[in-house]
Amino acid sequence: MRQFLKYPYFVAFLLILSSCSKKTEEDRSNLVFRYNENAAVNSLDPAFAKIRPSIWVCNQLYNGLVQLDDNLRIKPDIAKRWSISPDGKTYSFTLRKDVYFHQNKIFVPNSTRIVTAHDFEYSLNRLRDEKVASPGGWILQNVKGFKAVNDSVFEIKLAKTFPAFLGLLTMKYASVVPHEAFELPGYDFRSNPIGTGPFQFKIWEESVKLVLRKNPLYYEHDENGTQLPYLEAVAVTFLPDKQSGFLQFVQGKLDFVSGLDPSYKDEILTPRGELQPKYKDNVTMITGPYLNTEYMGFRMDGDNPAIKDRRLRQALNYGFDRDKMILYLRNGMGIGAEHGIIPTGLGGHGAKGYNYNLQKARDLVAAYKKETGNANPKIQMSTTASYLDIAEYLQREWQKIGLNVEVDVNPPTTLTQSIATGKASFFKATWIADYPDAENYLSLFYSKNFSPGGPDYTHFSSPEFDKLYEAAFLETDDTKRFELYKQMDALVMEQAPVIPLFYDKASRFTQKNITGLGINPLNLLILKRVKKN
């Protein structure tokens, strides 16, 4: 009889246990952060983290010596502190002793180990190795040498001062990786990564899905002592169509959408850049400056005589309303670029550029036509389909100042090749900062950076500019260096090898139950402090 009575109690216990187990699994599934990529991830090896989709994933998997906060201030990461020699050439980093690689069978016998300075020596040597052929090797171009002084101290010596060097070390290229993975025959690090970051690798079916799980050994804690990250996992899907990704977000199947696409920008935003009323209860919009300058460039040493005349380049700069363009074509998401090539948010921004001045533009065009006798100068603007609306707006505005500009639409890869080889005399371009220093933008005009070997696609050349550019490398005082940057930007604007269009804004849309995402001017995805309530 007693055995008979025990049975229902045992069943009840199993039901309660099963219910609790299901609830726990459900709670854990609710802590998965989901987003879509319309472009493929090329590699999970940080040495090849060149494109944004890969950088975003690698940002969850890896750490470096230093990191950036949302205000682009350089903060400690695996290096808990550092010092710079008085001549600005020697950097000495002291490492934490509580950072572990992700658990993996390559580490025998404990399935993990502590990161040491020797790991950074190995990782940076990979960037220099011609056999590895990393696209990130350029971040070490000013480095004379580096070494692990001992397990806890790592030293880097520069061949010449470069004040922006710490910013370069925040890039994913400079992440630490374990040598064991590359010494194990047949181990594919590209698709089986081992890092130290807040999340660790779980699954990757290329162009289908990618899953990362919480790293239980992650070293960072919040201000209350709670270990990061808060999330249990990150799940990435790969729908190539941006509109499809947006529909998934609207249906609640994704937690986050980044940026605006013409296919849905009017659906989610009003013409003045506010959330449409129907989304206000369910969606949070986060916006902020983005270190991205959209511009038109002229090939200064090309064979088009009209483009070689500075008056026409200046007239094109004066001849359209940037604020109107942002309002009607970008739903207010951007700032008219009236202050040179350096975007807002960087030291050196604020040089005198071009505002809308219809009469001045007309006068410059009239003076050119009178002097040259060329009543209808031939100008062709090369662009892509995604920027056709902006190109046609500029075309209409420039007709008002007496210039007929043809629009030539190209596939993105074709346009990129034409710009690099000098076949495009007047072209639409974008420059997104790799690191938070205005030198990144001014390198576009340094004569030793002529394309195709460097980023000077306009082939702008000025001895005065080059002298200022080289002087800025020797200036360790930020205030003085920023003033040099502003002088260089003003000099470029006066010669007008480019037409700055607008300084971009980063925009993010999340479900209401997502907190802690934030935004930063490099548009980095940082998930370690994100909560899903």
Side-chain angles (χ1 to χ4, degrees):
M1 182 69 176
R2 282 197 298 256
Q3 288 181 341
F4 179 78
L5 288 173
K6 281 182 180 178
Y7 184 77
Y9 287 112
F10 181 65
V11 171
F13 173 74
L14 288 178
L15 288 172
I16 292 169
L17 187 64
S18 174
S19 175
C20 290
S21 176
K22 286 180 180 178
K23 189 176 190 318
T24 301
E25 289 179 9
E26 188 176 294
D27 289 343
R28 291 171 69 89
S29 70
N30 285 339
L31 293 176
V32 178
F33 185 87
R34 306 157 302 169
Y35 72 94
N36 182 68
E37 281 290 2
N38 69 291
V41 168
N42 70 314
S43 175
L44 299 179
D45 184 339
F48 297 90
K50 182 179 181 180
I51 59 175
R52 186 199 52 71
S54 296
I55 293 170
W56 275 15
V57 176
C58 286
N59 210 48
Q60 321 313 321
L61 292 170
Y62 302 98
N63 296 88
L65 291 164
V66 289
Q67 61 183 322
L68 292 171
D69 66 12
D70 278 350
N71 295 313
L72 300 188
R73 291 175 298 211
I74 295 172
K75 298 289 185 180
D77 199 354
I78 295 179
K80 60 183 177 181
R81 61 178 179 271
W82 61 88
S83 61
I84 306 173
S85 62
D87 65 0
K89 293 182 180 180
T90 302
Y91 292 69
S92 183
F93 300 90
T94 301
L95 273 55
R96 301 176 64 100
K97 297 181 180 180
D98 59 351
V99 180
Y100 292 83
F101 284 111
H102 296 154
Q103 293 174 311
N104 192 283
K105 62 184 179 181
I106 69 166
F107 301 115
V108 179
N110 298 319
S111 77
T112 186
R113 68 170 175 82
I114 291 176
V115 173
T116 72
H118 300 282
D119 293 307
F120 277 100
E121 184 175 322
Y122 177 83
S123 300
L124 295 190
N125 271 320
R126 281 192 76 226
L127 294 185
R128 283 186 156 180
D129 190 338
E130 292 182 359
K131 293 180 181 178
V132 175
S134 166
W138 65 270
I139 71 171
L140 302 176
Q141 60 188 347
N142 292 316
V143 173
K144 184 178 181 181
F146 45 81
K147 65 178 181 179
V149 177
N150 53 46
D151 283 354
S152 300
V153 178
F154 185 62
E155 185 180 89
I156 301 177
K157 289 185 178 291
L158 303 186
K160 60 181 179 180
T161 57
F162 184 48
F165 180 64
L166 277 177
L168 289 178
L169 292 182
T170 66
M171 299 179 69
K172 286 298 105 180
Y173 292 134
S175 301
V176 68
V177 295
H179 65 85
E180 292 93 335
F182 302 95
E183 294 166 354
L184 186 67
Y187 192 90
D188 181 12
F189 195 85
R190 172 190 175 272
S191 55
N192 293 278
I194 305 167
T196 58
F199 297 92
Q200 56 191 19
F201 175 74
K202 181 67 176 177
I203 299 169
W204 183 24
E205 295 180 29
E206 294 194 39
S207 300
V208 179
K209 67 178 178 180
L210 188 152
V211 178
L212 311 177
R213 295 299 302 268
K214 179 177 183 175
N215 174 13
L217 301 177
Y218 191 57
Y219 82 89
E220 283 194 277
H221 294 73
D222 67 15
E223 55 278 2
N224 297 317
T226 303
Q227 185 185 27
L228 300 177
Y230 303 119
L231 297 165
E232 284 293 328
V234 177
V236 187
T237 53
F238 295 91
L239 295 172
D241 180 51
K242 289 185 178 181
Q243 188 173 25
S244 298
F246 176 72
L247 289 174
Q248 291 269 302
F249 172 72
V250 170
Q251 293 166 8
K253 296 178 182 178
L254 298 176
D255 297 306
F256 160 72
V257 169
S258 177
L260 285 173
D261 188 75
S263 65
Y264 62 79
K265 71 178 178 68
D266 294 326
E267 164 67 18
I268 196 166
L269 291 185
T270 67
R272 295 198 171 272
E274 299 174 347
L275 274 176
Q276 293 281 8
K278 65 180 178 179
Y279 291 113
K280 285 188 175 181
D281 291 338
N282 301 315
V283 174
T284 299
M285 180 173 71
I286 313 168
T287 63
Y290 182 22
L291 297 187
N292 171 33
T293 300
E294 303 280 340
Y295 69 97
M296 307 293 303
F298 300 97
R299 183 70 173 213
M300 301 290 282
D301 58 0
D303 54 7
N304 187 333
I307 284 174
K308 288 183 178 180
D309 195 293
R310 185 174 61 177
R311 290 170 297 188
L312 286 194
R313 299 197 303 271
Q314 290 180 332
L316 291 167
N317 262 292
Y318 281 121
F320 67 101
D321 189 331
R322 291 167 171 81
D323 292 336
K324 183 180 176 182
M325 177 183 70
I326 294 296
L327 178 62
Y328 292 109
L329 299 182
R330 297 273 305 172
N331 293 68
M333 298 302 293
I335 301 170
E338 296 184 354
H339 295 286
I341 197 74
I342 301 173
T344 56
L346 283 183
H349 170 76
K352 185 180 182 300
Y354 295 88
N355 55 6
Y356 180 46
N357 192 324
L358 188 61
Q359 190 56 51
K360 193 162 189 175
R362 285 172 173 167
D363 291 344
L364 286 165
V365 171
Y368 166 83
K369 289 181 176 180
K370 181 177 180 181
E371 182 178 313
T372 63
N374 185 358
N376 189 26
K378 185 178 180 181
I379 302 174
Q380 185 180 75
M381 171 173 43
S382 299
T383 187
T384 60
S386 61
Y387 287 98
L388 184 58
D389 56 345
I390 289 178
E392 290 177 342
Y393 167 78
L394 294 172
Q395 183 184 47
R396 291 191 298 270
E397 292 298 293
W398 287 333
Q399 285 176 346
K400 299 173 185 176
I401 65 173
L403 291 175
N404 294 312
V405 178
E406 296 178 9
V407 176
D408 177 35
V409 180
N410 298 265
T413 52
T414 302
L415 180 60
T416 300
Q417 184 66 20
S418 296
I419 292 171
T421 57
K423 294 179 180 178
S425 60
F426 182 36
F427 51 86
K428 169 70 182 64
T430 296
W431 193 260
I432 302 173
D434 293 311
Y435 50 92
D437 193 279
E439 182 275 335
N440 207 219
Y441 289 86
L442 297 169
S443 66
L444 295 172
F445 308 103
Y446 184 48
S447 65
K448 293 182 181 179
N449 286 343
F450 272 18
S451 63
D456 186 353
Y457 302 112
T458 64
H459 281 205
F460 174 81
S461 179
S462 164
E464 183 182 355
F465 179 93
D466 289 353
K467 185 177 179 180
L468 291 169
Y469 184 80
E470 290 165 3
F473 274 73
L474 305 175
E475 185 53 71
T476 56
D477 184 304
D478 285 349
T479 302
K480 294 178 180 178
R481 192 170 78 257
F482 294 162
E483 186 55 39
L484 289 173
Y485 288 166
K486 192 177 291 187
Q487 289 180 41
M488 283 184 266
D489 205 359
L491 191 154
V492 170
M493 288 301 98
E494 199 272 332
Q495 293 297 320
V498 294
I499 301 173
L501 298 174
F502 61 91
Y503 313 122
D504 207 354
K505 276 188 178 180
S507 56
R508 295 179 171 181
F509 305 93
T510 70
Q511 305 292 351
K512 281 290 186 181
N513 64 335
I514 300 295
T515 58
L517 180 62
I519 199 165
N520 55 79
L522 284 174
N523 199 28
L524 297 174
L525 186 63
I526 301 171
L527 298 178
K528 61 190 175 187
R529 292 182 181 272
V530 169
K531 291 182 178 180
K532 188 172 178 181
N533 302 314

